[in-house]
Every structure is written in C-alpha cells, then in structure tokens.
Amino acid sequence: MRTLLLVVVALQVAITSATTALTDPALAPFYDTVGLACNKRVDCGYVPALACIEGKCEYCRPTAHDCNGHPKDVGYVCQVIEVLNEATGEKEAQQGLTSTGDTVDAAYCVEKNLFTPFTYNDLLTTLIAFSCTALGAGGGVGGGGLLVPMYILGGLNPKHAIPLSKVTIFGSAVAMYVVNCRGKHPLNRNRPLIDFGLVGLMEPTTLMGTVFGVMLNHIFPNWLILVLLVTLLSFITYKTFLKGKKIQEKESKSKLALIKNTLTGGPNGGGRGRRWSIYQRFDVEIAARRWLEKTRRSRKTRLIREEDEKDFQSLPPIIERKPTSSDPLLGDNRRFGTFPSDDDEKTQRRGTVERRDARVLPFEFVWPLVVSWLIILVQAFLRGGHGAPSAIGVTCNSSAYWAITLLPLTVLAGISLYIGYRLRLMNRFKVLSNYPFVDGDMHWVKRRVLMFPAVCTTAGVAAGLLGIGGGMVKGPIMLEAG
C-alpha cells in the first residue's frame, strides 16, 4: 500500500513538473527572440513571429494592431498561444515574459484565416478579385496590374498584396488555359490558338527574372515598390494606348475602303455601276492609296526576306537527303521520265510544316516547359526562404545558397536558347517551302530569339517584385512586335 502511494505521489509530482515546465513564462515559445532590436515586424522573423513594439520584439497584444503596419491592414492577426493543462484537462493561455520582465499572455502574429472572421474587407476583396481576373482574361493578361492596387485599397500592405496577387493570377491562368487549349487560330483554322514555340522561348527566362524579383521584393521598402508599380503601369498603359490607336486606324481604313469599293462598283461592289457612285471624285485617291499600300507591302516583304536570308547564313547548311530506292530515278514506283519538280518538293515540305503546326501539344516545346518548372520547384525546396527552411540545411547568403540560386538559372537560359535555335531552323524550313505566313506570324531570326528572352527576363523581375503577371509586360511587347 505504501509503495502504491509513493507511486501516485511521484506521478503527481511528474505531472506538476511537466505542466509547470510547459507553462513556465521563462520558457514560453519565442522566448529567445523577445527583446531583440527591430525596426519593423519582419525583423522579428517570418510569421508566425513576434511583433515589433517600440523598437523591440515583443509578444503582440490582441487588442492592438501590433502585427500590421497600420490599423486598416488586415493581413495579420494576433493569436494567443493556448496549451493544455494536463492537471485540469483544460486549455489555458500560455504566459510569457516581456523584455522588461512583465508577465503577459504569450501571443504571436499569424496570417488571418479566411473565414475566422470573414469581414467586410474579405467580401470586398473577393468581388475585386473576380472583377479584375475577368477583365484580365478578356484582355489576355493575368490582371496583376489591377489586383495589386485593388488589394492595397482593400486593406493589405504591398508585400502581402503581391503574393496574394500571384496566387490569384495562377488560378486565372489555369482557367484561361483550359478554355483556350482547344481553340483555333483566328486566321488559320488548322492551327491551335496557343503557340507553344513562343511559350517555350519566353517562359524559362521569365522564371529566371521571377527568382530575382522575389528577392528584390523582400529588400525594397513598400514606398519604392509602389513607385515602381505606378511607373511601370503608366508606361504600359501609354504603349498599349498607342498600339490600340494604330490598330483602330488600320481597321477604320479597311472598312472605309470596303465601303468605297462597294459604292463605286469595284471588284466587291455587287454589280453597281459608276453612274451610281457618290465617291467618283475619290477614284484617283483610292487608286493612289492602293498603289501605295501595295508598294509598302512589297517593300516590307522584301525586307523580311532579306533579314531571313541574312539569318540563314549563320545557320548550319541544309543536308540534302541522299537518294534511296524509293526515289524516282532509282525506284520502280514511277515511270521513267517523271521527275519531281521544285514545286512538288515545296508542297511536300509545306504539308509537313502544316501538320506539325496543327498539333495541340508539340512535345519538343512542352518538355522544356516542364523541365523549367521542375527546376524552379526543386530550387525552392533546396534553397528555402520566406520562413521556410532549406531541405538540405543551406543558410542564406552562403556560397551553397548562391550556387543553388544561380546554377539552375543557367540551365533555364540554355533551354531558352535551345528553343530559339529550333525556331530559327523551323523559320528557314517555312520560308524555303513557301509557307503561307498570316498576319501576326513571326519570322524567327537571331535578333528576335535573343530580344524576346531578354524582355521576358525583365517581365519576370516585374512579376516577382511587383506582383503583376508577366503577361502584363509581355503582352504590349508582343503587340509591338506584331
């Protein structure tokens, strides 16, 4: 009986000691961070972390706005640490010590949950996100240029609005791809709407720029991010307005020419004679304009051809196929005296190109995209950052950290150059086979396959730094390029 009593007393002492050790204010979570000097909340660590109060890292106060930069910021909330008191079986607030030795409820800053509580700002932000992504999808961009300012107006600080914008853009991009993956080219119904060759050229370097943009987002202050965002959006708006004005003028001229041609009894006039024309005094003007447009098109075609031929000189020579038993001169499948003409060979080549262009998922352009995304994913796990530890224990700013950061980016640059080289070879094949280029098709020469990745690197930096999708920058560039 005495032995049993001693065992019970020992268990009670052990439970009391464990409970005391668990709730001892001197051993509360983040006790080693309390009292450290800070200028802003992130100096105390990534969430969950302490708040910066009067220049020191302290436990946050649930009734104050210690976790946010200003009272209207709703990105973070103060959460009290609750522990289970094994003696009573109930949860109670963990006590902690401040830098001055006072005992307070141990609380830290965390991301606000979506539905606890669901505030008016949450509802407003949801409606804003829906509207911005709808406008972005209609304009062919992700909508980051609209989302980031709207999120900031909804009560988020820039460094919280930017990653939220990235997630929203990702969801919008997936939805737009599902809608457009089976679409057809508006000017050539035999081709898919999505040009994976162009995507494979632009995406690897966009990912490269995103890596550096995310780093700069952590370094730059909020006011500088806002200034850069406003500057970039203003420039993009200006360039897009100019391009839209040119397109409108071109369409207006085409419609006016069609109307005049109809009323003057031209080739598309529907049989009306000149005596019914009310635009007879414009006949000379119309003829002059047509001649000028034809001259300009001929000059443009000649310049494109000269640029293509100059680029062909830097490519390896074409290896002619050696005759086989199926060739007309050696085989028995054709009668003697029938020879393939140059037009037949061009037609055969053109058919090959058209069949390749008709594929919805061309493997030679899809696998570089998959490899690029996997490289960035593995790099993020190995390097860590933004509160997430490295999977292999790499510390920030060490030689291993920068090796993991920079070496994969060289692979991405190599992938982009490889895709550009293939596009140049394909362009030569198309030109030599008299491929029918339509309005908007690119003649991929060395200058363009180097310019586009460079521009996309800048777009990636803007995407990571400012939270706007790369399409917001790349869209106007592609419009400007034709």
Side-chain angles (χ1 to χ4, degrees):
M1 186 66 180
R2 178 178 294 180
T3 304
L4 181 60
L5 181 60
L6 291 175
V7 171
V8 172
V9 172
L11 289 175
Q12 290 179 347
V13 171
I15 292 174
T16 304
S17 300
T19 304
T20 303
L22 186 62
T23 58
D24 186 2
L27 300 176
F30 303 103
Y31 72 92
D32 53 344
T33 310
V34 174
L36 297 180
C38 62
N39 294 320
K40 50 188 177 181
R41 187 197 55 76
V42 294
D43 294 338
C44 301
Y46 291 99
V47 290
L50 300 182
C52 184
I53 303 175
E54 297 180 356
K56 292 184 179 181
C57 295
E58 302 280 3
Y59 292 110
C60 61
R61 297 163 293 185
T63 57
H65 295 279
D66 299 330
C67 297
N68 300 302
H70 52 86
K72 293 184 179 180
D73 189 359
V74 295
Y76 304 98
V77 295
C78 183
Q79 179 173 311
V80 178
I81 302 175
E82 293 184 348
V83 294
L84 179 64
N85 190 330
E86 297 181 359
T88 61
E90 297 179 355
K91 289 185 177 181
E92 62 181 30
Q94 170 72 59
Q95 299 296 305
L97 297 179
T98 64
S99 58
T100 58
D102 298 331
T103 302
V104 296
D105 290 341
Y108 53 87
C109 300
V110 295
E111 297 276 358
K112 189 190 83 67
N113 292 330
L114 178 59
F115 297 107
T116 53
F118 189 79
T119 63
Y120 169 77
N121 284 333
D122 294 328
L123 177 61
L124 178 62
T125 304
T126 302
L127 296 177
I128 288 174
F130 176 81
S131 303
C132 292
T133 51
L135 292 174
V141 296
L146 301 174
L147 287 170
V148 174
M150 293 299 102
Y151 283 157
I152 293 175
L153 292 177
L156 301 178
N157 63 66
K159 292 192 176 181
H160 196 205
I162 287 173
L164 182 59
S165 171
K166 296 175 186 176
V167 175
T168 310
I169 292 172
F170 174 76
S172 175
V174 172
M176 285 191 290
Y177 173 75
V178 172
V179 173
N180 295 324
C181 64
R182 291 291 179 179
K184 297 298 181 180
H185 195 283
L187 301 179
N188 189 342
R189 305 303 296 177
N190 295 324
R191 288 163 48 184
L193 182 62
I194 300 176
D195 185 358
F196 277 95
L198 180 59
V199 176
L201 177 67
M202 302 173 70
E203 192 63 22
T205 51
T206 303
L207 294 175
M208 288 175 53
T210 304
V211 173
F212 293 106
V214 171
M215 293 181 180
L216 295 177
N217 177 264
H218 179 62
I219 298 173
F220 287 0
N222 290 336
W223 67 266
L224 181 57
I225 293 176
L226 288 176
V227 170
L228 293 176
L229 178 63
V230 172
T231 303
L232 180 61
L233 292 180
S234 301
F235 176 75
I236 292 174
T237 303
Y238 172 72
K239 297 296 290 185
T240 306
F241 174 77
L242 294 181
K243 186 63 178 180
K245 189 176 180 180
K246 290 182 180 179
I247 295 175
Q248 183 186 21
E249 291 177 355
K250 182 178 179 181
E251 293 177 350
S252 299
K253 289 181 180 179
S254 300
K255 292 180 180 179
L256 182 60
L258 179 61
I259 293 174
K260 291 181 178 180
N261 189 37
T262 302
L263 294 175
T264 55
N268 300 321
R272 290 196 175 191
R274 286 187 175 273
R275 61 179 180 175
W276 299 101
S277 174
I278 61 175
Y279 285 100
Q280 291 182 5
R281 62 181 180 275
F282 293 112
D283 288 351
V284 177
E285 179 184 354
I286 293 173
R289 287 183 177 179
R290 288 179 179 175
W291 177 83
L292 182 60
E293 291 177 359
K294 185 177 181 179
T295 304
R296 288 176 177 175
R297 286 196 300 267
S298 300
R299 182 175 180 272
K300 182 179 179 181
T301 303
R302 185 174 66 255
L303 293 176
I304 292 175
R305 181 70 180 189
E306 292 176 356
E307 189 177 24
D308 286 335
E309 292 178 351
K310 183 179 179 180
D311 184 70
F312 296 165
Q313 297 176 2
S314 61
L315 293 174
I318 299 177
I319 301 177
E320 296 292 342
R321 183 175 58 88
K322 295 182 179 180
T324 62
S325 59
S326 61
D327 286 331
L329 294 179
L330 299 179
D332 297 330
N333 57 336
R334 294 191 183 185
R335 293 181 302 170
F336 179 77
T338 59
F339 301 95
S341 64
D342 292 339
D343 292 337
D344 294 335
E345 293 182 359
K346 290 181 179 180
T347 302
Q348 185 178 4
R349 290 178 180 177
R350 186 164 60 249
T352 302
V353 174
E354 291 175 350
R355 286 192 297 271
R356 291 173 66 91
D357 286 347
R359 293 175 300 171
V360 178
L361 287 175
F363 178 76
E364 67 270 19
F365 295 133
V366 172
W367 74 260
L369 293 175
V370 177
V371 171
S372 300
W373 290 325
L374 289 177
I375 288 175
I376 294 298
L377 181 63
V378 173
Q379 182 196 56
F381 279 108
L382 296 180
R383 188 183 60 177
H386 288 274
S390 169
I392 57 177
V394 174
T395 58
C396 182
N397 207 26
S398 62
S399 57
Y401 176 87
W402 287 110
I404 294 175
T405 300
L406 298 178
L407 289 180
L409 302 186
T410 59
V411 179
L412 296 180
I415 291 176
S416 183
L417 294 176
Y418 166 76
I419 296 296
Y421 180 73
R422 287 192 61 89
L423 290 176
R424 291 174 62 196
L425 294 177
M426 184 59 65
N427 176 67
R428 179 174 65 176
F429 197 76
K430 289 181 178 180
V431 172
L432 296 180
S433 61
N434 287 338
Y435 180 81
F437 288 90
V438 298
D439 189 20
D441 284 347
M442 297 295 296
H443 286 254
W444 292 111
V445 295
K446 186 176 181 180
R447 176 178 61 86
R448 289 193 178 94
V449 299
L450 294 178
M451 179 195 69
F452 270 81
V455 172
C456 291
T457 304
T458 306
V461 173
L465 172 61
L466 306 177
I468 62 176
M472 185 70 72
V473 180
K474 291 184 287 188
I477 297 298
M478 288 188 287
L479 286 175
E480 192 69 24

